[in-house]
Amino acid sequence: MQSLMVMGTTSDSGKSTIVAALCRWLHRQGVSVAPFKPQNMALNSAVTEDGGEIGRSTALQALACGIEPHSDMNPVLLKPQTDRGAQVILRGQVYGNMDAVDYHGFKKEARKSVMAAWEALKARYDVIIVEGAGSPAEINLRENDIANMGFAEAADLPVLLVGDIDRGGVFAQLVGTLQLLSQSERDRITGLLINRFRGDPALLEDGLKWLEDYTGKPVVGVFPYLQGLILDAEDSVGLTGTEADEDALKVVVPALPRMSNHNDFDPLRLHPKVDLQFIGPDQPKPGADLILLPGSKSTRADREWLKAQGWDDHIQRHLRYGGKVLGICGGFQMLGKTIADPDGIEGEPGGTEGLNLLDLETRLVEGKQLRRVTGVFAESGTPMSGYEIHNGVTTGRALERPLVSLDGRPDGAISQDQAVAGCYIHGVFDDAEACDILLVWAGLQNGQAITDYQQHRLAELDRLADAVTEHISVDLL
């Protein structure tokens, strides 16, 4: 088994994209390859074939490898619930909630899960491309590290260090990172990669020669800034997409503080007949045809945020003028009358009033629902698919009009006047036919989806692999 670990000088340096690119390039060479991320902190997640939960970017990398995602590929997933606390998921299953200090002390125990998953994955694939987290130069986090050099040393891996030139100061990023590593860690870095370069690479030649001479490390390539690239992001909400037509359906998404799985809406960003906007705190709320309430890792707190930001009145006015509202997962829970949390699943025990748009009540309970699902829209019979990731149990009369039927099991609800709907299913827009049904319901006329989202993802991954061939020294790699 051979392996390479990709680390970055900063968060969002492009590690996930480079790993996906390398995985796709190797897969196209006929190599049995898999991704691995020892520790990830993200609110965007996916359900694996073994019924676990991993970061969405790792699941995308599995797609690049032509394999199903497995919980061994991301053995530690941290899902932030507050600024200081997160839900800890080990090998796909919830372990518990911890604040940052407690988790720092827990990392010795978490290392056991990481190494067990690593050994299991090694036995199944010929090559593993490993992704670090944040930066290996975060000296305050180096004790008991399992995310970067701590894992690289435990697994005895070579490292490719990636710097983001689009941020500026890429030479300082790379040199400074190397300076903050121990000698044994520096020795592990066998190559440097400059990412997101715009312009003529010839302009960099003098700088690259200096960098190699100064560090003693080869520069394996200069990876270009790929304009318009849309792939599953870790947490940041990117808004780059296809420009919408003038008569596009206007869709607005409140950017909740603990919004989860905003990738649900990537197919809408690509749709030329949809104008999608995320609206952050204190931003003006534009008129829209559809308001989408996304998932949330802290549903009660994000519901209170909606109220404090004036969304309650805005949604009521939106409905009076004929607009539609759709809630996904936590957003679906917010549409009901109450969200009860007597056991303190999300923090302090208590209850929170919902938007009271559907006759529903939700109780947060132990035991997360993690499953992939297929079914049909209840009224039209149109096929749909997706996945569930939630703790809540929802009851109420509104469920007598379900939005979807999942192998005979009803899920979600739609109001009698057809103006308000919701369900627990993430990824409901991914299938083109299902996306069409929802957009037509929201008011889009003749709205056949031009972009098949699944085919788009594969095409973008192939675009990354092409860039590896063209811009990275394959011999050095």
Side-chain angles (χ1 to χ4, degrees), residues 15 17 25 59 66 74 137 140 146 175 190 207 241 259 271 285 287 291 335 346-347 361 367 377 396 403 413 457 464:
K15 298 182 296 293
T17 300
W25 178 78
N74 178 201
N140 57 310
I146 58 175
V175 172
T190 54
M259 177 170 56
H271 201 301
K285 303 171 184 60
I291 293 177
L335 294 174
E346 291 188 346
E361 296 179 345
F377 285 98
L403 181 64
R457 295 168 86 211
L464 289 176

Side-chain angles (χ1 to χ4, degrees), residues 332 358 360 398-404 411-415 420-423:
F332 170 51
L358 292 173
L360 299 171
L399 298 178
E400 296 172 7
R401 291 177 54 86
L403 181 64
V404 297
D411 184 90
I414 186 166
S415 62
V420 179
C423 66

